[in-house]
Amino acid sequence: MLPAWHWGIHMHKKTRTALAAVAAAALTGGLLTFAASTAVAADGTLVAKADFNKDKKGDIATTAAWAHVGGKANAGQVVALYGTSTGVNSTKRTVISQDTSGVPGAAEVDDLFGYETAYGDFNGDGYDDLAVGAPGEATTAGELAGSVTLLWGTASGITGTSAVTVKDPAAGADRIWGYTLAAGDFDGDGRTDLAIGGADTTLFVYKGGFTKTGGTGGYYAVDLPLYEGAWKLHAGDVNNDRATDLVVNGDALPDLDAPTEELESYVPEQNTLLFGSASGLTAAGHQSLRPGLITGIGDINGDKFGDIVSGFSWNEELGGETIPYGAKGGKVWISYGSATGVGKIAGITQDTSGVPGSSETDDGFGASLDLGNVNGDAYLDLVVGVPGEDVDGVDETGSLVVLYGTASGITGTGAQSFHQGTAGVPGGNEWGDWLGIDVKLDDVTGDGKADLIAGSDENGNGAVLYMPASGSKITATGSRSISPTSVGVSTAEYPGFGWTFAD
């Protein structure tokens, strides 16, 4: 049996039963949660921080998709934490739900507003905006039709004013529209596009040209090479042609009509690379990648091509069956970009030289990850969440591992590890904290160095940990923890604050 945190990260089935189960958030031994994707710039060489108020400091959008709003269970909220010279805190924030003035609809039971989010400057005014999926929403099209809302950035941050919905061209019951989102310039025209997925294998890409009156630049459909709908989407330019590419995670059930040998070699959390072009995103010429639900794309080794980093947190076997590409305690796969797509491939575990800790069953190394430049050199660095890590005899308290980029890629040299028992880190190690259930590396102080933001479970309430960059490393000095109560999120049942960050 998988550990509770592992079930939480991987239970994303696109059916009425599963989504209802997610909303209920109840499994023996732990909560159902979900994991977030990683944000990248369209050119693949930088990591794009969100800047909703255009003050040149990175902002963090996190969600509490299971939060009670006006007494409505699992209605959901999004929380924007704005960067300051001393990092993010609970004071400078905006909390938005479907009961917020200007936001279409209303907070209702099991809407899951904020289940998936993506940011980008959708209307071209210089402020980053936020796309918010509510896959559990019931509409006139039926139950679980889902919805996607655009919240606009302003000088004072994200607002509900003039928010608009992005219509589903295939609207219907059980569509769970907005289950997957990704922003990028897929046709290289300099405008931000939005890719939206639901329950089936058709992805709709809305072209840049969004307006506050509901206008778009039109849309087109992409048929995904999957058995069923995508679990996650991750955007970045791998081949450096200035058109954003898309990694599609298709943790599909195996085709029961497939030959026996194919069923036996089934790989969970399979990834597929779709290329952007002047005519937009296409599945033609797609490439198969190493697996991993959580992916980041950015230029790690300074060669101007976006490198794909995927966290495959499965062990090497399950129930006596071998898991292809799995490793004891989880593994991070790095597929280095080139002009033709994926080039060389490398893998990192906690048994890799220099990486803190050791590979232990159910650690979940790679359950979350993100790329950013911590030390300001020419190479991107990597933070890896290890939510199943046992520390000092405390089960599944979780930890964070920071790995640094070089001209030859990510290595264990100079790596760091943190947990809630590390000197200077707020809190303490407790069973099931799952520190590292999601992570971000973003410059939230405006000093040009990426700081570390991490989510944890904390008995289902959730929390956000901020740890600053010291100039060359991440440090616990000046770190702080932000609770749901401190930002005005209800702790009734399991709000899941900080369980996922926008990409």
Side-chain angles (χ1 to χ4, degrees), residues 152-250:
W152 305 110
T154 70
S156 57
I158 288 290
T159 178
T161 302
S162 301
V164 297
T165 56
V166 183
K167 294 182 179 179
D168 180 1
D174 300 320
R175 276 281 295 154
I176 58 174
W177 179 243
Y179 184 84
T180 53
L181 300 171
D185 183 7
F186 301 113
D187 55 10
D189 68 353
R191 298 187 297 179
T192 303
D193 310 318
L194 180 62
I196 307 175
D200 59 26
T201 57
T202 300
L203 185 72
F204 288 100
V205 180
Y206 281 80
K207 299 175 67 173
F210 296 91
T211 70
K212 293 184 179 181
T213 56
T216 72
Y219 68 84
Y220 58 92
V222 179
D223 290 327
L224 300 176
L226 303 174
Y227 293 124
E228 47 182 40
W231 289 66
K232 300 292 289 185
L233 305 174
H234 311 277
D237 186 5
V238 175
N239 57 5
N240 197 24
D241 65 354
R242 303 292 161 166
T244 306
D245 307 311
L246 189 72
V247 172
V248 178
N249 180 272

Side-chain angles (χ1 to χ4, degrees), residues 61-318:
T62 188
T63 68
W66 287 268
H68 286 224
V69 178
K72 306 296 177 60
N74 312 311
Q77 294 171 300
V78 294
V79 181
L81 302 171
Y82 301 109
T84 73
S85 60
T86 58
V88 292
N89 56 57
S90 60
T91 302
K92 193 173 181 181
R93 71 181 192 266
T94 302
V95 182
I96 293 180
S97 73
Q98 286 182 290
D99 278 353
T100 300
S101 178
V103 178
E108 299 165 317
V109 173
D110 295 340
D111 277 350
L112 296 179
F113 182 76
Y115 182 87
E116 185 67 292
T117 51
Y119 60 76
D121 183 6
F122 296 117
N123 61 356
D125 65 356
Y127 296 93
D128 278 325
D129 312 304
L130 188 66
V132 183
E137 177 133 46
T139 72
T140 55
E143 294 292 322
L144 291 175
S147 69
V148 175
T149 303
L150 296 185
L151 305 175
W152 305 110
T154 70
S156 57
I158 288 290
T159 178
T161 302
S162 301
V164 297
T165 56
V166 183
K167 294 182 179 179
D168 180 1
D174 300 320
R175 276 281 295 154
I176 58 174
W177 179 243
Y179 184 84
T180 53
L181 300 171
D185 183 7
F186 301 113
D187 55 10
D189 68 353
R191 298 187 297 179
T192 303
D193 310 318
L194 180 62
I196 307 175
D200 59 26
T201 57
T202 300
L203 185 72
F204 288 100
V205 180
Y206 281 80
K207 299 175 67 173
F210 296 91
T211 70
K212 293 184 179 181
T213 56
T216 72
Y219 68 84
Y220 58 92
V222 179
D223 290 327
L224 300 176
L226 303 174
Y227 293 124
E228 47 182 40
W231 289 66
K232 300 292 289 185
L233 305 174
H234 311 277
D237 186 5
V238 175
N239 57 5
N240 197 24
D241 65 354
R242 303 292 161 166
T244 306
D245 307 311
L246 189 72
V247 172
V248 178
N249 180 272
D251 190 17
L253 294 172
D255 181 358
L256 298 181
D257 295 324
T260 301
E261 61 270 18
E262 290 186 20
L263 291 176
E264 290 176 349
S265 63
Y266 169 68
V267 180
E269 297 177 8
Q270 299 174 71
N271 283 318
T272 303
L273 175 61
L274 278 58
F275 291 100
S277 68
S279 58
L281 195 67
T282 177
H286 64 268
Q287 295 182 352
S288 295
L289 306 174
R290 293 296 165 86
L293 180 66
I294 303 305
T295 292
I297 307 175
D299 183 12
I300 295 169
N301 55 5
D303 65 357
K304 306 303 180 184
F305 296 105
D307 306 311
I308 302 170
V309 184
S310 294
F312 193 52
S313 55
W314 292 77
N315 296 308
E316 74 275 32
E317 65 88 24
L318 177 65

